[in-house]
Amino acid sequence: MDNFRFYVPTDIRFGKDRLATELTDVLNVYGKNVLLVYGGGSIKKNGLYDQVIDLFEKNQNTVVELSGVEPNPRVETVRQGIELCRENQVDVILAVGGGSTIDCAKVVAAGFYSDKDVWDLVLEKGYGGKALPLVTVLTLAATGSEMNAGAVISNLTTNQKLGMGGPSMIPKVSFLDPQNTFTVPKNQTAAGSADILSHLFENYFRQTTGTDVQDFVSEGLMRTVIKNCPIAIETPNDYDARANLMWASSLALNGLTGSGKGGTWSCHAMEHELSAFYDITHGVGLAILTPRWMNYVLSDQTVDKFAQFAKDVWGITEEDKMKAAKQGIQATYDFFKSCGIPMTLPEVGINEDKFVEMATQAVAHSTIKTDAYVPLAESDVEAIYRECLTESIFV
Amino acid sequence: MDNFRFYVPTDIRFGKDRLATELTDVLNVYGKNVLLVYGGGSIKKNGLYDQVIDLFEKNQNTVVELSGVEPNPRVETVRQGIELCRENQVDVILAVGGGSTIDCAKVVAAGFYSDKDVWDLVLEKGYGGKALPLVTVLTLAATGSEMNAGAVISNLTTNQKLGMGGPSMIPKVSFLDPQNTFTVPKNQTAAGSADILSHLFENYFRQTTGTDVQDFVSEGLMRTVIKNCPIAIETPNDYDARANLMWASSLALNGLTGSGKGGTWSCHAMEHELSAFYDITHGVGLAILTPRWMNYVLSDQTVDKFAQFAKDVWGITEEDKMKAAKQGIQATYDFFKSCGIPMTLPEVGINEDKFVEMATQAVAHSTIKTDAYVPLAESDVEAIYRECLTESIFV
């Protein structure tokens, strides 16, 4: 196990119907001028927007809105948010939405205090400065952004989708009410679950050994998602299924499963290029890539971990390690497919035209060539993309 | 899943050799006057005391010492610590030790700001006031006190051992260096591991359903302890085994496995009386009681959860649920025994003389009669104590 620091001071308010009695008290700690950040308007359909505005009125807040945050939030939107905060002397940001909305709000919060253009801030990756306080109301179980200090921003003019983060950007308080995810459609429930699983997989398959706490906890969270995602798809208002997905999303990426392990992530680096070039849903890209990546890096060197994964997560009893490993990869693929996720790139409008360019970018924007679980050169990434052109069978 | 708040702002500095470069910076945030709290002197044997004192000298701290904190820390020691803080205008408390030392330091930190006698504060259970900032250096993987807001204090004149806690009592920073547990003797390694497992069991076997995150994470932490405790006993300086036990101890009782679940704990309530009356090692008492408690509450109503426990934690493949459940209980008992823990009460000097009195107190000091996993009356507690008089076979 490597040395690590674990410091996650987000105050999680989990459960039913807490906003009415807690939200304004939480915001009042920081001030009355609020920037309200949200996405495409689903919160106007399900009543959450009206509830929040009503609470603001009773609490005599001054509110400005940054709406229409994109599924892959764009730097132009972030710039607009920073302007709004400066023009209106905003004291605190309230993000109501999923990971995209929260990520956008985080970078607005940091950019507010910086003289630089915010894209330069993104390019620097690590942020050590101050940020406006951020409170979130989560509406989608997926990215874990509600309980960590990172954010991903896209720049479609340069075809770049890049991560940045810093301690001041972690939300002060996050409200996690599973009921706010009842209206999430089946395909987004599936894509969000694939995102959670991918965070767990990326942390699980790393080179550091002696990390039983992280790995066994991760297996437990994987089993949680595998059990509850199909229930939430079948019965969208199953409270416990939604609650388990929501809490798993936060714990999958708050340091619990990744701290103490070195090396970089592989599938996220490859997926970010798909999203950057084609603007596809992040979780779908991850679901398509992951089983092909697993199969590509499976070898005598990695078979023990994949066999452990097959046994502990999928309950596979096959004793031959290589066979068990392949069955585990097949189970992963079949699970995503059973959730209704399109499992080839052509199904989401991607063909081989830009494979070389995207592979080059995936390596350039990350360290997968040197310190991934299994290091990947441009040709490896291209080969993995190519495996995603048609349906796959691994056993 | 029940509503819950999860707010664990302790800054964990995990890993090798961090004190030299980080400790004084951490303490300087609060001031130069330090109360150093420690136990029976093991830190003087293993060099930790000298290292800390040396750092204090270089940093020009003023240090007063509260030493000799008991394994079950006594209220008299807490009173002495509060006096020292007041007489010396202490700014920050540094606890170097295991859970007993940290618990004592927490109540000193709270009592410092109270006009009441500190035992009255303990009797009130919940503490809402201020506390002196507390930094810890952990030397024993067991109680989880390094990452939570609770403390247990004993009053031998009234035969009471009671828990108290409040948000201000959570450590600001905790240094977790697995190397500091290399010198922990085999019997204390085993007892500490039993304590960790008991925290996980108590949170796992509760009435709230729909808590897969908590339960599957808990199973992962149980498997971590079951795998690594025997390694640490066999090879005391196995870094990864000690690291996994240490991090598991913190996560077992920081809210991760208990938040979102209602009801009270059973074995701790029964064990606290054993410690209060006979001053035995807490973890040993828990190991003795737990399998007998499991067997006592096993029924058609609880068999599903015990069968899940047997399968997921012990890998038991028996398909008959009741048989599987009993095998899981037997495996738990055999595990503790294989770690060298004395598994009957007479072996730790306890006979039936005070069973009635202790059972009465166990019910009086807790809510096990009304809201335990399976409610326990005085006669139930007495029956469970009685089962601990001789070796047990459950299958």
Side-chain angles (χ1 to χ4, degrees), chain A residues 206-380:
Chain A
R206 289 165 92 165
Q207 290 185 345
T208 311
T209 57
T211 52
D212 293 326
V213 168
Q214 293 87 338
D215 292 347
F216 294 166
V217 164
S218 199
E219 291 170 358
L221 293 170
M222 292 176 201
R223 289 168 53 218
T224 300
V225 177
I226 290 162
K227 175 180 170 185
N228 287 284
C229 172
I231 300 173
I233 288 175
E234 181 69 27
T235 312
N237 60 352
D238 185 304
Y239 182 84
D240 283 336
R242 293 293 194 180
N244 279 296
L245 289 178
M246 193 172 235
W247 192 213
S249 82
S250 309
L251 298 180
L253 198 53
N254 75 345
L256 189 64
T257 68
S259 297
K261 308 183 92 175
T264 195
W265 290 6
S266 299
C267 290
H268 272 69
M270 295 188 286
E271 199 293 317
H272 278 183
E273 302 311 320
L274 301 182
S275 294
F277 279 76
Y278 293 95
D279 207 20
I280 67 167
T281 302
H282 178 53
V284 171
L286 291 168
I288 294 172
L289 286 166
T290 298
R292 277 76 175 214
W293 168 80
M294 287 178 167
N295 192 55
Y296 193 86
V297 302
L298 176 62
S299 71
D300 288 345
Q301 280 68 54
T302 61
V303 69
D304 283 355
K305 193 64 178 273
F306 279 103
Q308 177 189 333
F309 169 68
K311 178 170 178 285
D312 291 350
V313 177
W314 297 105
I316 285 165
T317 54
E318 167 65 50
E319 291 196 5
D320 179 278
K321 279 185 185 175
M322 189 56 79
K323 282 186 189 167
K326 292 193 178 207
Q327 288 177 21
I329 295 169
Q330 186 70 50
T332 308
Y333 181 89
D334 293 345
F335 172 77
F336 287 138
K337 201 168 165 66
S338 74
C339 294
I341 297 176
M343 287 300 289
T344 67
L345 288 179
E347 287 174 79
V348 293
I350 300 178
N351 59 26
E352 61 193 314
D353 289 356
K354 294 181 178 169
F355 280 179
V356 174
E357 191 181 352
M358 290 193 298
T360 305
Q361 295 290 309
V363 171
H365 291 149
S366 72
T367 55
I368 55 172
K369 199 169 183 172
T370 50
D371 70 345
Y373 180 57
V374 173
L376 300 173
E378 291 82 348
S379 58
D380 298 310

Side-chain angles (χ1 to χ4, degrees), chain B residues 16-91:
Chain B
K16 292 177 186 171
D17 304 327
R18 304 183 72 135
L19 284 186
T21 51
E22 299 176 34
L23 179 64
T24 52
D25 284 349
V26 163
L27 294 174
N28 287 344
V29 170
Y30 306 105
K32 291 282 189 182
N33 291 354
V34 181
L35 176 72
L36 175 64
V37 184
Y38 58 99
S42 65
I43 65 165
K44 289 197 172 170
K45 289 182 204 138
N46 67 13
L48 195 50
Y49 176 86
D50 288 340
Q51 185 191 4
V52 169
I53 292 295
D54 187 51
L55 290 169
F56 282 149
E57 278 175 12
K58 286 183 186 146
N59 190 48
Q60 298 179 308
N61 288 96
T62 305
V63 184
V64 284
E65 298 190 14
L66 177 68
S67 65
V69 175
E70 304 82 7
N72 289 308
R74 301 185 189 169
V75 67
E76 292 81 4
T77 313
V78 175
R79 286 198 192 101
Q80 192 186 337
I82 294 169
E83 277 303 300
L84 285 172
C85 288
R86 288 179 180 158
E87 286 164 7
N88 298 280
Q89 286 103 47
V90 160
D91 302 309

Side-chain angles (χ1 to χ4, degrees), chain A residues 5 7 38 198 228 231 251 289 315 325 379 382 389 391 394:
Chain A
R5 184 179 182 191
Y7 179 50
Y38 57 100
S198 180
N228 287 284
I231 300 173
L251 298 180
L289 286 166
S379 58
E382 198 194 328
L389 285 170
E391 297 274 339
F394 303 98

Side-chain angles (χ1 to χ4, degrees), chain A residues 136-169:
Chain A
T136 85
V137 178
L138 187 65
T139 63
L140 181 71
T143 73
S145 188
E146 65 277 9
M147 203 180 181
N148 68 40
V152 178
I153 301 297
S154 292
N155 187 334
L156 292 189
T157 58
T158 62
N159 276 338
Q160 285 176 300
K161 178 177 174 178
L162 300 174
M164 73 164 289
S168 64
M169 290 164 61

